[in-house]
């Protein structure tokens, strides 16, 4: 049999210097102490050459890049549940888009994002949340853009002791919901901005037209009771379905109560229907809406009837209109540049910035948690929950400035909202 060096073309090379090594883990370490021992022979009876050592070193280096059984090279796993199909896809797809372009490292630790579709369905959302926890061994759960799905996932988080960052507006008491943290502004924070505007403009009688669902009820309950406008009278409580096409009856009943202004508890394109109905019947008072309606679809459906509508929203979509001294402006601008570069400015969503803010919360909390626990362990889940509560302090996001406490798992204040108004067919920031 030809010797080994002939097989690799050693006859064409200069004399080879012997090199002795020992193997430590998956690393080749030079060891001169072996030079005085009996020459190491390959199975072919030839001394191991530098050339072969080089090949072995390359192979072992490749092996060393693989995850070890002990988890030394494990990465942090973030499980995401959003609606990329079904009625909620208009929100969920932009969220998914953000997770696809987020940095794959936090505090020097590799991070992977596993995104599953809840199909705008509670049962599917719960099943996927459990799959991420049990099969993917995630360290933190994020989602959903749907309030009902998020509520169901909160129970999964408690049972599995996995921290959950929700992407839908919920008021979160840290004592009642120790494993859940919120990114979007809770309903009272946003509606109170509208109430303050009413107070400044002397509104004493307020009509209400809202969705006949959980969203419409949440808005109404924030108005009644409220402590922003002393003596505010709610003159009507009219409801409609999201797929209704005419609100003549609701508009006529509301106008008959002679309100100074009307609050609409809607969102998206269907949120424009009360504006159309009230305008067509000659109502001249201010018509307010919620942050869920600040979108192009609202203006597209409402047209001229939506002119002068007032609503609260997060600041990031209006970053270019914020004052230079606003700390949110550079963060929101950075996010919008990242999103626009990937998907184009026309694909902007008024809500997708929440996904980026969830990443910023993890960026603030994860490094401290990793000091005491490793990815893929119950200990890291607990440490990350604790760190979200104690180390998220003045974290500037696209939507506001977050400071979590054991009592407050929303962590936002008045800086997380601005008022906007439809002017000449566009949403514009209102001057303070």
């Amino acid at each position: 049999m030809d010797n080994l060096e002939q097989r690799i073309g050693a006859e064409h090379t200069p004399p080879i210097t012997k090199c002795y090594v020992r193997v430590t883990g998956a690393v080749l370490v030079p060891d001169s102490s072996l030079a005085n021992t009996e020459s190491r022979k390959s199975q072919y009876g030839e001394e191991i050459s530098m050339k072969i050592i080089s090949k072995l070193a390359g192979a072992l280096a490749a092996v060393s890049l693989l995850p070890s059984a002990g988890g030394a090279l494990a990465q942090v796993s973030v499980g995401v549940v959003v609606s990329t199909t079904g009625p909620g896809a208009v929100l969920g797809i932009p969220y998914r888009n953000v997770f696809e372009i987020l940095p794959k490292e936090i505090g020097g630790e590799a991070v992977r994002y596993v995104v599953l579709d809840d199909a705008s369905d509670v049962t599917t959302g719960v099943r996927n949340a459990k799959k991420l926890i049990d099969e993917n061994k995630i360290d933190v759960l994020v989602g959903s853009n749907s309030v009902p799905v998020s509520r169901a996932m909160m129970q999964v988080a408690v049972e599995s002791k996995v921290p959950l960052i929700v992407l839908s507006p919920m008021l979160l008491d840290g004592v009642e919901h120790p494993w859940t943290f919120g990114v979007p502004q809770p309903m009272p924070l946003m509606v109170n901005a509208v109430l303050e505007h009413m107070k400044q403009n002397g509104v004493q009688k307020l009509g209400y037209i809202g969705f006949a669902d959980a969203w419409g009820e949440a808005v109404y309950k924030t108005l009644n009771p409220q402590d922003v406008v002393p003596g505010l009278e709610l003159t009507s409580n009219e409801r409609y379905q999201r797929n209704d096409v005419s609100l003549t009856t609701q508009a006529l009943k509301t106008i008959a109560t002679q309100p100074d202004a009307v609050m609409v508890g809607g969102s998206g394109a269907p949120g424009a229907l009360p504006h159309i109905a009230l305008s067509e019947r000659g109502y001249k008072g201010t018509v307010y809406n919620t942050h869920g309606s600040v979108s192009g679809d609202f203006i597209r459906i409402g047209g001229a009837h939506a002119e002068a509508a007032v609503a609260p929203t997060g600041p990031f979509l209006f970053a270019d209109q914020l004052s230079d001294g606003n700390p949110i402006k550079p963060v929101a601008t950075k996010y919008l540049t990242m999103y626009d570069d990937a998907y184009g400015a026309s694909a902007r969503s008024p809500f997708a910035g929440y996904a980026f803010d969830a990443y910023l919360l993890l960026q603030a909390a994860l490094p401290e948690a990793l000091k005491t626990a490793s990815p893929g362990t119950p200990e890291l889940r607990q440490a990350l929950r604790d760190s979200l509560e104690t180390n998220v302090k003045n974290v500037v996001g696209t939507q506001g400035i977050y400071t979590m406490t054991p009592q407050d798992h929303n962590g936002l204040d008045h800086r997380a909202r601005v008022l906007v108004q439809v002017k000449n067919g566009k949403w514009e920031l209102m001057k303070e």
Side-chain angles (χ1 to χ4, degrees):
M1 180 182 294
D2 293 338
N3 67 47
L4 187 56
E5 291 189 359
Q6 286 177 334
R7 293 173 62 195
I8 62 173
E11 68 273 22
H12 301 297
T13 63
I16 297 171
T17 302
K18 297 176 182 178
C19 175
Y20 299 98
V21 298
R22 55 187 169 84
V23 178
T24 301
V27 181
L28 290 173
V29 181
D31 194 340
S32 58
S33 67
L34 298 179
N36 295 324
T37 65
E38 182 182 354
S39 296
R40 269 52 179 171
K41 301 287 184 178
S42 73
Q43 62 176 313
Y44 297 105
E46 299 295 333
E47 294 177 343
I48 298 176
S49 69
M50 284 293 292
K51 186 173 292 186
I52 297 171
I53 291 298
S54 176
K55 289 181 178 290
L56 287 172
L60 286 169
V63 171
S64 71
L65 294 177
L66 298 175
S68 66
L73 295 175
Q75 57 187 344
V76 175
S77 295
V78 180
V80 182
V81 178
V82 290
S83 309
T84 57
T85 60
V90 66
L91 299 178
I93 290 175
Y95 283 143
R96 179 200 62 192
N97 290 346
V98 173
F99 285 105
E100 289 180 348
I101 60 175
L102 286 176
K104 301 302 187 288
E105 182 179 289
I106 295 179
E109 193 79 19
V111 177
R112 65 168 180 153
Y113 304 94
V114 185
V115 183
L116 298 181
D117 174 24
D118 63 33
S120 306
D121 174 70
V122 171
T123 301
T124 303
V126 169
R127 182 172 63 248
N128 284 342
K130 291 180 177 180
K131 179 180 180 180
L132 288 167
I133 293 168
D134 297 335
E135 298 180 19
N136 296 95
K137 308 300 181 184
I138 60 167
D139 300 295
V140 59
L141 188 61
V142 181
S144 169
N145 50 277
S146 159
V147 171
V149 177
S150 292
R151 289 193 181 281
M153 288 172 60
M154 288 169 63
Q155 185 59 36
V156 176
V158 171
E159 293 171 355
S160 303
K161 291 183 167 52
V162 175
L164 167 65
I165 300 176
V166 294
L167 298 174
S168 50
M170 304 178 73
L171 186 61
L172 296 169
D173 183 298
V175 177
E176 295 180 9
H177 307 289
W179 287 92
T180 304
F181 299 82
V183 178
Q185 302 89 336
M187 187 69 75
L189 179 65
M190 302 303 266
V191 173
N192 282 352
V194 170
L195 288 168
E196 289 170 6
H197 187 269
M198 293 179 188
K199 181 180 179 180
Q200 294 169 6
N201 288 274
V203 174
Q204 285 296 303
K205 298 176 66 178
L206 180 67
Y208 182 74
I209 305 175
F211 286 156
D213 61 15
W215 181 265
E217 187 63 15
V219 178
Y220 184 79
K221 285 184 176 180
T222 306
L223 295 170
N224 184 31
Q226 57 79 38
D227 57 6
V228 178
V229 184
L232 181 67
E233 176 188 355
L234 284 172
T235 64
S236 68
N237 182 10
E238 298 295 323
R239 302 302 179 96
Y240 70 103
Q241 301 297 329
R242 292 175 184 251
N243 58 357
D244 284 348
V245 294
S246 175
L247 300 186
T248 299
T249 300
Q250 292 92 328
L252 288 173
K253 286 183 177 180
T254 299
I255 292 172
T257 66
Q258 299 182 332
D260 300 322
V262 175
M263 179 69 188
V264 176
S267 65
L273 296 181
H275 294 258
I276 296 172
L278 291 166
S279 174
E280 288 178 341
R281 279 141 195 89
Y283 183 71
K284 301 300 183 183
T286 300
V287 182
Y288 296 90
N289 213 307
T290 72
H291 49 301
S293 290
V294 182
S295 67
D297 285 341
F298 173 87
I299 293 176
R300 177 177 58 82
I301 296 298
H305 301 295
E307 194 70 13
V310 175
T313 191
F316 91 100
L317 274 183
F318 301 88
D320 60 338
Q321 299 179 42
L322 297 175
S323 67
D324 291 339
N326 190 317
I328 296 171
K329 184 171 185 173
V331 178
T333 301
K334 176 182 177 181
Y335 159 74
L336 289 171
T337 299
M338 179 184 73
Y339 194 90
D340 293 352
D341 287 346
Y343 304 106
S346 61
R348 286 185 183 182
S349 161
F351 311 106
Y354 294 132
F356 187 71
D357 284 4
Y359 161 79
L360 294 177
L361 296 189
L362 291 176
Q363 189 178 57
L366 188 57
E368 191 66 26
L370 286 168
K371 291 180 180 179
T372 59
S374 300
T377 65
E379 289 78 12
L380 182 61
R381 293 172 175 176
Q382 179 69 56
L384 183 53
R385 190 220 75 85
D386 295 345
S387 188
L388 282 167
E389 196 171 77
T390 58
N391 289 301
V392 174
K393 304 297 181 187
N394 294 313
V395 175
V396 182
T398 66
Q399 298 283 359
I401 300 175
Y402 298 87
T403 295
M404 302 291 181
T405 70
Q407 294 74 36
D408 180 8
H409 280 196
N410 292 105
L412 292 169
D413 57 21
H414 67 280
R415 294 171 294 182
R417 67 191 188 197
V418 294
L419 282 178
V420 292
Q421 186 173 35
V422 179
K423 290 186 177 181
N424 300 316
K426 295 195 310 181
W427 287 106
E428 292 189 7
L429 189 68
M430 296 181 71
K431 294 182 178 179
E432 298 180 357

